[in-house]
Structure formats: C-alpha cells, structure tokens
Amino acid sequence: MLGVHLRNMDSFIRAVQQVEDSNPGLSSLALVRALRRTAGHDDAMTIHFLGASFNHSDTEVLETAILNASSFSFFDKAIHHIVTDYGEERGVVLAPDGTTVALAPLLLGIESGLKAQMEATPAVGIFPLTLGRTLGLSFLSLQDFPPSSRLGPNGCWDSVDHPKVFKLSRPATLATDAVINAGMDGAILGMDLSSLPASEQPPALSDILKGYYSFILHEGQGLDGLSSHVSPRRREISRTILAPLDLHSQVMETLALVWKLEKTEWISLDTGVGKAVKDGLQAFVHKYWDCPQFIPRCQWGAKAHKGTPIPLSLPLKYLYVHHTYEPSSPCLSFPNCSRNMRAMQRFHQEDRGWNDIGYSFVVGSDGYIYEGRGWNQLGRHTRGHNDIGYGVSIIGNYSATLPSRHAMNLLRHHLVRCAVDGGRLAPSFTIHGHRQMVNYTACPGDAFFSEIRSWEHFRV
C-alpha cells in the first residue's frame, strides 16, 4: 500500500480510499464502524452513544476484508491513540495544513454525524465523544496543576516530508493538542453530516476527509474565497457551533455519564469538580478559541538561535506591524509558508548576521501564525524598539494591495487578544507601523499601512 508507513493524513486517506475501491457500494457509516472495531475502540461511552461495532453484519464482513488486507496493521496503528513513556504520541497524523490530528476522536465525530443522519435523529453524542469526556477527565486528573497545564501540549514531527515519529514538547495530559484538534474537527464534521437530509447519500469517507483537509487556496483570495468548512478554520467554526451549548453543563453531564457507565469512583460531582471544570474550560477557551493556532519553530524547520536568546520583560506596550516585502506573494499552504520562513531566517542569519529570524511572529495566508522569536525572546524587527514591543509581519508585499481579510483578522483580533489575555501585551498597548519607528522604510506598505491606521490601538 503506497505510503502507509508515513503518518500523515494523505496516507490515511489513500488507505481509506483503497478499502472503498475494493468494496463497491460501501457506506461511509459501515466503513467508519469497521475502523472503530479494528482499533478496538468499543468503550462504554462509545457503545452508549453509537452501539457496539460488532453488532452490525456489514461491519463484520468489512472487518474481515480489512483483516485480510495489508491495511489492517496500518489502520490499527494509525487510529489507536497512546503516549509512550518517552513522550511519543501515536495514533496521530500530520494534516496537510501543518497541524497534527488524533484519528480516534475525529472518526467518532464523523460516525456520530453519519448515524444521526441515517436515523434522522439529533446527534446527541458528538460533543461527549469528541471533546467532552477528554476535557472533563483531563481537568479532574490534574486538579493540583494550574488550569493552563491541564491541556496540551503540542509537539513536532521528526520530518514533515516523511513523518514517522511525533514527540511532545512536555509531559502529556489526556487532552493533547492533537486530541483537541481532532475533537474540534470531529465535532465540525459530525455536525455537518448530521444536518444532511436522511434521504441524501452522504459522501464517501475519503471524500469527507479530502474536502476538509486537502483543499486548495487560490492566490488573491486565500481563506477569504473559501466558504466551506476546512481545517485552518477549526477554531472559529468549532466555537460557533459549540459555544452556545453551555459547555460547563455539557462537560458536567458527560462526567456524570462516565461515572455511571464506567463506575469511576474517584469522580465525585461535588463543588470541587464544578470549579475544576469551570477553570479548565476558561483555559480551553483562551488557548484554543481566543488564541490562533501557532506553527512552532520545529514544525517549519527553523535552525537554532545563534548564541543565547535574551528574555523580554513582559508585558510589552507596543506591537509593530510589518510586511515581509520579500517574499512578495502571500503564502497559501503550509509547505510554502514553511519555505518562506526558512528563507527569511537564512537571509537574516547569513546575510544580515543576526542570531535568528528577526520577527516575533509571521502571519501566513494559509490560516496560521508562524513562530519566530516567540513571546519571550528579544527580536530584531524594529530598530531601537525591539525590547518594548513585538514585531509581527504578514508574508507578502502590501504596497498596493491588502493582505487577505482572514490574515489581517488573525493579527488584529486573535493574536492581540491572545497576547493581552496571556499577560504578554499590556491592555493599553499601542500599534505602530514599522515606518513610524524608522525613517528608511515604507514597511508595512502603503496599502496595508492605510488599513492599520483604522485599527483601534493604532496611534500616530
């Protein structure tokens, strides 16, 4: 099977499509049930909402076909989620957008939606199966830790071109970034599928995954020109569909169900649990909804900082806005944005003799923000002002045209809110264009500078 040794979403989709091609007329629901059975994911809560996977004759026939194929070992390893004692997270794949996704909660969300659509019933199990149980148990299992430490972490792959090993950046919680990414994706796709008319044939599983992960952005539009649900928008879309649900009540009800189904005696739904859930959800909303998704340095292939980084004294009072000028075109995909980041770092380190890429953060038009010097280290972006502000650049030349609306919103709203709420920017911070601080540059371009003059924290 082509590429099944690689742990990326494209390999998983190809393996799914091979099973579909070998089983004409196969329904998406039957396939996702068979994958659940293959991975051994018939726990009490899953059976409560979705039924046992082995109770369906079509699943048994399909599982036999998978068992007899070379794909069985791949599916078993790809879907079964564990974290080893050495910090390797398994059961996760690298998505084309550069983020990492755990397959198990993703597929449970899809199965919930398909089941609800087929039976024309409300999709009651989507949140508990994708996010509710994981979040609740993670909040409770780490009550002695700060709420922000009960979630995550992220990690990095050994190679983004040939991903095989994903190592976490610190000890894992039950709700790693990959699990939460997948939970958001599963909730989005599950809700989308559950809203299809019962009379309508749902798409093949491979097409569901391709439409969400393997989309193509077009220059001049970026995400602005895409109305469909796609993975770079998982945070804003999941917030839209889940925030109205009263998450505190949802998590508490999920924990009560866990106690009932699994006889988990250490879960006592007293006031302490309620506070742990409340605090944990505040941390979740800040980290995964208020903050944008950052692509870490190790993911885009950064070289090491030369010398010893100088720490910043937080919070800072200024945000300096740049455009890269070169590269002059917006980057529309993780591979292109990563190449741009490596090229800029190489130019800054080798041609200008700096210790690292100069910017604190760089915004792509692919829906993500790329980590440069980051929150805590002194950058080299705005001469004479590097120690009092962050330098954030959008990839592209914006002398005559504007960045995409989505890219500007990532900077103007999401990164700024994340910085203020996280104690990195003072609430009364000021935004300046690069040209205001030095007299030798037109950065961030005439068109973009005219735009930021209307932003609420801009000062002349």
Side-chain angles (χ1 to χ4, degrees):
M1 181 173 295
L2 180 63
V4 296
H5 61 291
L6 298 180
R7 291 171 57 189
N8 56 32
M9 183 63 76
D10 288 339
S11 293
F12 181 73
I13 292 174
R14 284 196 296 271
V16 167
Q17 193 162 6
Q18 185 181 66
V19 174
E20 292 169 341
D21 292 343
S22 302
N23 296 269
L26 173 68
S27 75
S28 301
L29 182 56
L31 176 51
V32 81
R33 277 176 179 155
L35 292 175
R36 169 158 60 100
R37 185 174 182 183
T38 300
H41 286 162
D42 269 355
D43 58 81
M45 178 169 283
T46 303
I47 293 174
H48 174 79
F49 285 113
L50 300 178
S53 62
F54 49 80
N55 282 347
H56 302 273
S57 58
D58 55 355
T59 303
E60 293 180 11
V61 172
L62 181 58
E63 186 202 20
T64 301
I66 293 176
L67 282 168
N68 291 333
S70 61
S71 57
F72 171 73
S73 176
F74 171 70
F75 284 131
D76 179 41
K77 293 178 180 177
I79 301 172
H80 190 71
H81 183 266
I82 60 168
V83 176
T84 70
D85 293 339
Y86 304 101
E88 178 187 346
E89 188 172 12
R90 299 177 181 173
V92 301
V93 295
L94 175 65
D97 64 2
T99 59
T100 301
V101 177
L103 288 171
L106 167 66
L107 294 175
L108 287 176
I110 291 173
E111 184 178 351
S112 297
L114 291 169
K115 180 176 182 290
Q117 186 260 351
M118 183 190 73
E119 298 175 354
T121 58
V124 293
I126 289 183
F127 177 74
L129 290 172
T130 56
L131 283 169
R133 183 178 187 274
T134 299
L135 289 177
L137 294 180
S138 189
F139 299 155
L140 294 191
S141 63
L142 297 168
Q143 288 189 68
D144 294 333
F145 291 80
S148 60
S149 300
R150 302 175 202 170
L151 298 166
N154 201 352
C156 272
W157 290 92
D158 54 339
S159 165
V160 294
D161 295 319
H162 300 90
K164 295 181 181 180
V165 178
F166 186 71
K167 292 290 291 291
L168 295 172
S169 60
R170 60 175 172 82
T173 69
L174 294 174
T176 64
D177 278 16
V179 169
I180 291 181
N181 285 340
M184 291 188 281
D185 292 348
I188 293 166
L189 291 173
M191 294 296 287
D192 286 349
L193 291 165
S194 70
S195 65
L196 295 175
S199 58
E200 184 175 328
Q201 182 73 21
L205 178 58
S206 59
D207 290 334
I208 293 170
L209 297 173
K210 285 178 188 176
Y212 189 76
Y213 293 107
S214 302
F215 54 89
I216 297 175
L217 298 179
H218 299 287
E219 193 162 346
Q221 294 180 311
L223 285 168
D224 293 353
L226 207 60
S227 59
S228 57
H229 288 175
V230 291
S231 55
R233 283 189 157 140
R234 65 167 60 92
R235 296 190 175 207
E236 60 190 92
I237 300 168
S238 63
R239 183 174 204 154
T240 299
I241 64 176
L242 294 177
L245 297 182
D246 183 0
L247 292 189
H248 187 272
S249 295
Q250 292 283 324
V251 173
M252 293 296 285
E253 290 173 10
T254 302
L255 288 173
L257 184 61
V258 170
W259 184 87
K260 176 182 176 182
L261 294 174
E262 302 180 11
K263 304 299 187 292
T264 313
E265 296 180 1
W266 58 271
I267 296 181
S268 174
L269 300 184
D270 55 20
T271 55
V273 171
K275 185 179 187 306
V277 170
K278 179 182 177 181
D279 293 345
L281 284 173
Q282 286 179 344
F284 168 78
V285 168
H286 168 72
K287 184 174 182 180
Y288 296 101
W289 283 352
D290 291 342
C291 288
Q293 172 82 57
F294 295 97
I295 302 295
R297 291 169 59 89
C298 56
Q299 196 79 333
W300 59 260
K303 291 184 177 179
H305 182 101
K306 296 179 179 179
T308 303
I310 300 173
L312 289 166
S313 179
L314 305 181
L316 304 184
K317 295 182 178 180
Y318 295 93
L319 180 69
Y320 303 114
V321 177
H322 300 247
H323 70 164
T324 60
Y325 190 73
E326 289 291 343
S328 60
S329 297
C331 67
L332 300 172
S333 69
F334 167 69
N336 285 338
C337 294
S338 296
R339 277 194 293 271
N340 288 169
M341 292 296 293
R342 292 193 295 271
M344 285 187 286
Q345 186 189 41
R346 186 165 53 248
F347 174 69
H348 289 174
Q349 287 184 320
E350 297 178 6
D351 292 28
R352 292 192 167 176
W354 298 350
N355 290 336
D356 204 342
I357 188 170
Y359 304 118
S360 306
F361 297 98
V362 179
V363 182
S365 293
D366 62 337
Y368 296 108
I369 296 180
Y370 289 72
E371 180 187 22
R373 302 275 182 121
W375 293 120
N376 301 310
Q377 294 182 13
L378 181 74
R380 189 153 185 180
H381 45 78
T382 312
R383 180 176 293 180
H385 300 80
N386 293 314
D387 60 339
I388 58 174
Y390 292 113
V392 182
S393 189
I394 298 184
I395 292 177
N397 176 358
Y398 300 109
S399 301
T401 60
L402 285 175
S404 70
R405 181 60 53 185
H406 193 275
M408 289 192 291
N409 285 341
L410 279 177
L411 168 54
R412 179 182 181 181
H413 299 299
H414 299 284
L415 182 139
V416 159
R417 183 172 183 179
C418 183
V420 171
D421 291 349
R424 287 119 174 184
L425 263 182
S428 59
F429 75 95
T430 295
I431 288 178
H432 286 310
H434 184 199
R435 63 171 68 182
Q436 293 175 269
M437 302 295 104
V438 294
N439 58 13
Y440 57 82
T441 182
C443 178
D446 290 347
F448 191 20
F449 183 66
S450 179
E451 165 68 21
I452 70 170
R453 289 174 66 91
S454 67
W455 293 6
E456 47 270 42
H457 285 266
F458 177 84
R459 297 291 181 272
V460 175

